[in-house]
Amino acid sequence: MSTLTPASETRPAQREPVLHTVDRVCELCFGLFMALTFVGAVKAVSAGEAAGHKMFFSALGCNLAWGLADAVMYLIRTLADRGQRLKLILTIRQTRDNAIAVHTLRDALPKAVQPLVDDAELERVRARLASMPTVPSRASLGRNDLVGAVGIFLLVVLGTFPVALPFLVIKDITAALITSRVLTLAMLFAAGYALGRYSAGGGMKAGLLMVAVGVLLTIAIIALGG
């Protein structure tokens, strides 16, 4: 639930990023894991000079498909969340009993936040929602949402290239496979490091944890015949 800024307060306009740090890192990791899955199946590729090219385009095709699916699901999730917030606002505005409206607002808060907000604060929020001059009739998507979907698509797809590129430039499939997995683990460490710095969980710790997840995933893929 977003907070509303009182009319009496003026704040400089600040453009929010289309995708937050967690979104960017998670989508990049998703692309890496998807590509890693196909790289792990490299033994299934027919032998010959074209094996590397087949591996590259197989991984690229996989991430193109999943990038598109993930982008569409991002738009659906955004629209559903926006519709849920709009439903909450309409419920608050239509409720005649202020105490019930405040209780509805409290139920909409995350469980961890509820004890930190008292009824007086929620009443001020309720009053602001009730005094809003206009409310959209339905939830809709905007330009930034489409930009975000394109960003997700590109993150998932571009995560393929460092993993699959060695199969284009290294003729020996075994050497290409090793190089690909090293690059993947390096990128996973960078992604985990960024996520740890963002969440104050420790960059090195989060980076190593993400690498461990990648190693376990690779072992699982090999064990399954990759």
Side-chain angles (χ1 to χ4, degrees):
M1 180 181 61
S2 61
T3 57
L4 301 177
T5 303
S8 59
E9 295 183 12
T10 57
R11 297 180 182 178
Q14 184 177 1
R15 184 178 179 180
E16 294 185 358
V18 176
L19 292 176
H20 295 289
T21 300
V22 176
D23 295 325
R24 293 194 296 268
V25 172
C26 289
E27 294 301 337
L28 177 60
C29 289
F30 177 78
L32 287 171
F33 287 137
M34 288 301 302
L36 184 62
T37 301
F38 268 72
V39 169
V42 67
K43 292 180 181 178
V45 178
S46 58
E49 294 183 358
H53 288 78
K54 290 180 180 178
M55 187 64 244
F56 175 83
F57 287 111
S58 293
L60 178 60
C62 168
N63 275 25
L64 282 171
W66 279 106
L68 178 61
D70 209 23
V72 171
M73 290 308 301
Y74 165 79
L75 293 176
I76 293 174
R77 183 173 64 251
T78 298
L79 191 61
D81 289 343
R82 197 163 294 163
Q84 191 275 334
R85 291 194 294 269
L86 178 59
K87 179 181 177 181
L88 175 63
I89 293 174
L90 293 175
T91 299
I92 298 302
R93 289 167 65 90
Q94 295 168 3
T95 301
R96 297 182 180 275
D97 190 324
N98 292 350
I100 295 178
V102 167
H103 182 73
T104 301
L105 281 172
R106 182 172 295 282
D107 287 342
L109 292 173
K111 297 296 183 181
V113 176
Q114 291 181 7
L116 306 178
V117 184
D118 59 32
D119 286 350
E121 293 171 307
L122 292 176
E123 169 57 27
R124 288 194 290 271
V125 174
R126 184 211 62 78
R128 292 171 187 168
L129 292 176
S131 63
M132 290 175 63
T134 59
V135 176
S137 58
R138 60 184 178 85
S140 61
L141 297 172
R143 177 178 177 275
N144 280 354
D145 301 317
L146 298 178
V147 172
V150 172
I152 286 176
F153 175 79
L154 292 177
L155 281 171
V156 174
V157 173
L158 292 179
T160 303
F161 285 92
V163 180
L165 192 58
F167 293 94
L168 284 182
V169 298
I170 302 176
K171 293 183 178 180
D172 184 82
I173 293 297
T174 301
L177 178 60
I178 294 174
T179 303
S180 173
R181 285 174 174 162
V182 169
L183 288 173
T184 302
L185 295 178
M187 291 185 67
L188 286 174
F189 176 84
Y193 185 87
L195 195 60
R197 290 288 299 273
Y198 174 81
S199 62
M204 290 294 296
K205 181 179 179 180
L208 293 174
L209 180 61
M210 192 69 76
V211 170
V213 172
V215 170
L216 291 175
L217 181 58
T218 302
I219 293 173
I221 290 170
I222 294 174
L224 292 172

